[in-house]
Amino acid sequence: MLFVPTGILYGLFILMTKRAFITGITGQDGSYLAELLLEKGYEVHGLVRRASTLNRSRIDHIGDYADERRDRFYLHYGDLADATRLTKLLYEIQPDEVYNLAAQSHVRVSFDIPEYTCDVTGTGTARLLEAIIESGIGKKVRFYQASSSEMFGKVQEVPQTEETPFWPRSPYACAKVMGHWLTVNYRESYNLFACSGILFNHESPRRGEQFVTRKITRAVGRIKAGTQHHLTLGNLDSKRDWGYAKEYVEAMWLMLQQDKPDDYVVATNETHTVKEWLVESFEYAGLDWEKYVRFDPRFLRPAEVDLLIGCYNKAKVKLGWEPQTDMTGLARLMVDSDIKVAELEKKSMEP
């Protein structure tokens, strides 16, 4: 019989009984984080907005798990606009960890609906932090805020670190700056274990189709299948630091396992243009992108963010975290997935 020291058994028991609350659980990051926490033995609670149509495709598979993980997964109706509901849920659930991933997260759309974006993405963070205090769980809970590289905007240094000044260039980025500094303020004011992960662009096959990386790989799949004939894009010269979302959620979890709360940049320290992503995706599928891609100024932002590249040294040293997937591997992973999706779509349209 393998002998396991009592201390380790106790530690495993504590880990197995941890409870997490995730806003934005139906999104890309929320779904990957839910999977990760369930694998680690957590009881996972997610906040879901009530809508006339279901938008749970990224987490539906959790209900099909053939083991006890599905019995540790709970969804609750609520909204970051409803402070009373947030306080009540936190009081009832008594989570050990809270991950705030919910937001109106599309930068271009934030120019069209700035008030809504600021209310959900910025003030919503204030409501959640205040709910933590009002529910009485502030002394035990650990809080994660999803900050964004968009906060750097008109970048003041290259690469960007935790100390780089913010210069937001969109309503979305302004709202994220608000949420970020609120997290710092509640950490300092209430001794709350609160961390912000300044995540640079992170993609996956679960990325929303309105985001440029997924828009490109979806188009590649459909063009290969013959169900789409062209792709319309805006600025191809913007430079971004792209990583794999499934790896980035592990960094979120690691932040809340440390002895002291802090803020961390999560990135790859590589930058590539939208055109590079475009060319890699089309060429990998054996397509000439110039035959299919069109330009439309309507997709341009009123104020552009030209260059983002993050230095993740702090995360590497303190968290032991490093990215494993580069831009080429990520683009190919998403193209492979979207070719399969497009083939299934085509079959479903056949008589």
Side-chain angles (χ1 to χ4, degrees):
M1 178 182 293
L2 177 65
F3 174 75
V4 182
T6 304
I8 294 179
L9 282 175
Y10 178 75
L12 289 173
F13 173 76
I14 293 296
L15 180 60
M16 288 295 290
T17 58
K18 276 189 175 180
R19 192 173 294 139
F21 179 73
I22 304 172
T23 72
I25 198 166
T26 59
Q28 169 188 253
D29 294 3
S31 63
Y32 281 124
L33 179 62
E35 290 174 347
L36 176 70
L37 295 180
L38 288 170
E39 289 171 4
K40 292 182 177 297
Y42 280 65
E43 181 178 296
V44 176
H45 295 257
L47 187 70
V48 178
R49 285 181 299 160
R50 177 68 179 92
S52 58
T53 57
L54 291 178
N55 182 27
R56 303 181 192 173
S57 59
R58 297 182 181 95
I59 57 173
D60 279 341
H61 65 283
I62 294 177
D64 297 327
Y65 282 164
D67 56 31
E68 42 73 41
R69 286 176 297 175
R70 65 182 180 184
D71 298 325
R72 290 186 276 107
F73 185 64
Y74 303 86
L75 297 179
H76 307 268
Y77 285 120
D79 198 299
L80 286 183
D82 189 342
T84 301
R85 177 60 172 164
L86 292 173
T87 303
K88 183 178 180 180
L89 279 174
L90 292 178
Y91 178 78
E92 293 176 349
I93 296 168
Q94 291 289 308
D96 300 286
E97 298 172 4
V98 173
Y99 296 85
N100 184 30
L101 310 185
Q104 190 303 100
S105 59
H106 196 283
V107 176
R108 178 62 188 85
V109 172
S110 77
F111 285 99
D112 299 323
I113 49 173
E115 183 179 347
Y116 174 79
T117 299
C118 291
D119 183 56
V120 173
T121 309
T123 308
T125 303
R127 295 188 187 102
L128 184 56
L129 285 165
E130 191 62 17
I132 287 174
I133 302 302
E134 291 297 314
S135 64
I137 66 171
K139 290 184 179 180
K140 75 160 188 173
V141 78
R142 298 190 168 200
F143 176 78
Y144 172 83
Q145 167 65 11
S147 291
S148 169
S149 60
E150 288 286 331
M151 299 188 304
F152 295 122
K154 188 176 180 181
V155 298
Q156 302 301 292
E157 63 180 357
V158 178
Q160 294 86 57
T161 73
E162 293 81 4
E163 306 302 321
T164 302
F166 300 138
W167 193 317
R169 299 269 283 172
S170 67
Y172 167 76
C174 291
K176 278 296 185 181
V177 170
M178 176 183 177
H180 179 88
W181 283 116
L182 279 167
T183 301
V184 173
N185 182 257
Y186 273 69
R187 181 168 69 213
E188 296 176 350
S189 301
Y190 299 103
N191 198 30
L192 184 68
F193 193 108
C195 302
S196 284
I198 307 174
L199 270 59
F200 281 63
N201 294 63
H202 46 291
E203 321 298 316
S204 76
R206 299 181 189 178
R207 187 61 145 153
E209 293 182 34
Q210 71 273 33
F211 292 92
V212 67
T213 51
R214 186 80 196 288
K215 184 178 180 179
I216 291 170
T217 59
R218 285 291 274 144
V220 168
R222 288 169 173 161
I223 289 170
K224 286 282 287 186
T227 57
Q228 183 172 328
H229 305 293
H230 67 270
L231 168 65
T232 304
L233 296 172
N235 186 4
L236 299 185
D237 296 322
S238 292
K239 294 181 178 180
R240 293 293 184 269
D241 183 325
W242 281 303
Y244 187 18
K246 189 174 183 179
E247 297 169 0
Y248 281 32
V249 299
E250 183 178 6
M252 299 178 188
W253 176 77
L254 286 168
M255 290 178 207
L256 299 195
Q257 312 314 308
Q258 305 307 303
D259 293 332
K260 295 181 180 180
D262 208 342
D263 306 320
Y264 300 85
V265 163
V266 180
T268 69
N269 200 33
E270 293 184 7
T271 190
H272 299 274
T273 63
V274 173
K275 185 176 180 180
E276 287 180 83
W277 181 282
L278 175 71
V279 172
E280 176 60 41
S281 299
F282 272 79
E283 288 188 350
Y284 178 62
L287 298 171
D288 180 356
W289 71 273
E290 292 184 291
K291 292 181 179 180
Y292 304 99
V293 177
R294 301 176 181 176
F295 171 77
D296 191 329
R298 290 179 297 176
F299 290 103
L300 297 176
R301 302 178 184 178
E304 184 58 79
V305 174
D306 297 315
L307 169 63
L308 291 175
I309 176 171
C311 175
Y312 65 90
N313 283 349
K314 184 176 178 180
K316 179 180 179 180
V317 172
K318 292 194 173 184
L319 306 180
W321 181 89
E322 289 189 82
Q324 303 299 316
T325 307
D326 62 11
M327 186 277 286
T328 298
L330 180 57
R332 293 182 177 187
L333 181 155
M334 291 172 63
V335 167
D336 285 338
S337 175
D338 278 328
I339 285 176
K340 293 178 182 178
V341 171
E343 290 172 349
L344 290 174
E345 284 181 343
K346 185 177 182 179
K347 287 182 180 180
S348 70
M349 292 187 290
E350 294 175 353

